[in-house]
Amino acid sequence: MLDLKSVNFDRVLRRYDIQMESKESPEDLAARMVPKDPTLRKVAEDVVFMRYKTVNDDVIAALKEYSPEDVIEHGLIKGMDVVGELYGRGIYYLPHVMVAADAMDKGVKLCESKMKGTRETRAKVVMHVAEGDPHDIGKNIAAVLLKSNGYTVVDMGRDVAIADVVTTVEHEKPQIVTGTALMTTTMSAFPKIADKLQEKGISIPFICAGGAVNRAYVESYPLGVFAAKAIQGPVLANKIIDGYDWRKLRENWDKLTAVKE
């Protein structure tokens, strides 16, 4: 009979695909990506390692040396960049991202309380899951990453009707709209949304993702820009505020997304 006490379950449960792809540990990656300044480094590491209890004290210490904007930009967001990279490599999972985002939000609120005005947003993004589709995990992760990178997110949730997406875009006037679909039966909503937006003279990039779609499908209708992973959302969004339209994003897609592959 097998003696279960002698079995090393750490070795049994080890994901060898991740082990082979991820030569760097979270500690190695953080050491390479977080700021060198010791004060800002502590703030960034609080986010990376989900130190919810210490982030307040470290942010308060950083605010004695840096402006609230610098603590957010060079401390908290840098930490979230590492979290996004770890998630993209399959080392961190959704719970890691959500807890790290909570730590970051706690620090951001503290910084914002010290600002004279409100924090400037990079751009507004309307996000939704296609009509008839109840799967919103991918959309939720992308929303966390976009918020962490300074974007204002209008989250419409899941199973959103085509007409509601178009009406919300008209009302909110975002710079970006996104859609996710996990089922092939629901992804057909995307070209219909794109057509209706164009009929109303709206030509913003429509970033589409999810298990049901691929690049060829998304690029078969106007406005569509494919995202293979949630971590690519901020990369594409940053280029949009740099002036890239949906055509230029498609032309440069391989180069842009290769950064996070």
Side-chain angles (χ1 to χ4, degrees):
M1 179 179 292
L2 178 65
D3 180 8
L4 294 178
K5 292 181 180 179
S6 66
V7 176
N8 184 341
F9 286 100
D10 287 342
R11 298 186 64 182
V12 174
L13 299 174
R14 184 177 300 163
R15 288 186 58 182
Y16 287 97
D17 55 336
I18 298 301
Q19 182 179 342
M20 293 301 292
E21 293 172 4
S22 307
K23 296 178 180 177
E24 288 182 296
S25 68
E27 290 77 13
D28 292 337
L29 199 63
R32 183 164 58 81
M33 293 181 65
V34 299
K36 300 302 179 189
D37 176 273
T39 306
L40 292 173
R41 184 185 189 89
K42 280 187 177 180
V43 173
E45 288 180 343
D46 286 338
V47 176
V48 176
F49 301 114
M50 300 158 277
R51 296 170 183 160
Y52 194 81
K53 292 182 179 178
T54 60
V55 66
N56 256 15
D57 290 342
D58 290 334
V59 167
I60 289 170
L63 288 171
K64 293 176 182 176
E65 300 179 37
Y66 297 95
S67 68
E69 292 84 354
D70 282 343
V71 175
I72 292 174
E73 191 75 20
H74 303 296
L76 295 164
I77 288 180
K78 291 295 182 185
M80 204 63 202
D81 285 345
V82 178
V83 173
E85 186 70 25
L86 290 167
Y87 176 75
R89 295 186 183 197
I91 300 171
Y92 271 13
Y93 293 90
L94 177 59
H96 296 104
V97 176
M98 303 303 280
V99 176
D102 282 346
M104 178 177 168
D105 283 344
K106 192 175 181 181
V108 167
K109 286 177 181 174
L110 186 54
C111 290
E112 288 179 338
S113 70
K114 305 297 181 184
M115 291 180 180
K116 293 180 181 178
T118 56
R119 183 186 175 200
E120 186 176 349
T121 182
R122 285 183 169 177
K124 184 184 287 185
V125 186
V126 168
M127 307 184 74
H128 84 287
V129 176
E131 185 171 10
D133 202 322
H135 307 92
D136 61 356
I137 291 178
K139 185 266 297 170
N140 291 342
I141 296 170
V144 168
L145 295 174
L146 286 167
K147 287 178 184 175
S148 303
N149 279 270
Y151 290 89
T152 297
V153 170
V154 179
D155 189 344
M156 299 186 69
R158 57 193 176 187
D159 188 15
V160 183
I162 294 170
D164 290 346
V165 177
V166 176
T167 300
T168 301
V169 170
E170 281 187 287
H171 176 72
E172 295 287 347
K173 297 180 172 50
Q175 286 74 39
I176 307 162
V177 57
T178 78
T180 56
L182 198 67
M183 301 187 297
T184 54
T185 52
T186 60
M187 67 181 188
S188 60
F190 294 156
K192 296 173 184 173
I193 291 172
D195 287 344
K196 289 185 179 298
L197 289 175
Q198 282 210 313
E199 287 173 8
K200 294 181 178 296
I202 299 171
S203 295
I204 59 175
F206 181 18
I207 299 177
C208 299
V213 302
N214 56 40
R215 185 178 176 185
Y217 178 73
V218 173
E219 294 189 358
S220 69
Y221 48 86
L223 309 185
V225 178
F226 179 58
K229 301 177 181 178
I231 189 62
Q232 292 171 351
V235 176
L236 296 170
N238 290 345
K239 288 300 176 185
I240 291 168
I241 61 176
D242 284 345
Y244 280 45
D245 60 16
W246 57 275
R247 293 183 180 86
K248 192 171 181 180
L249 287 172
R250 286 184 182 180
E251 292 169 2
N252 293 275
W253 194 90
D254 289 311
K255 182 173 65 176
L256 295 175
T257 56
V259 175
K260 293 293 183 182
E261 286 285 13

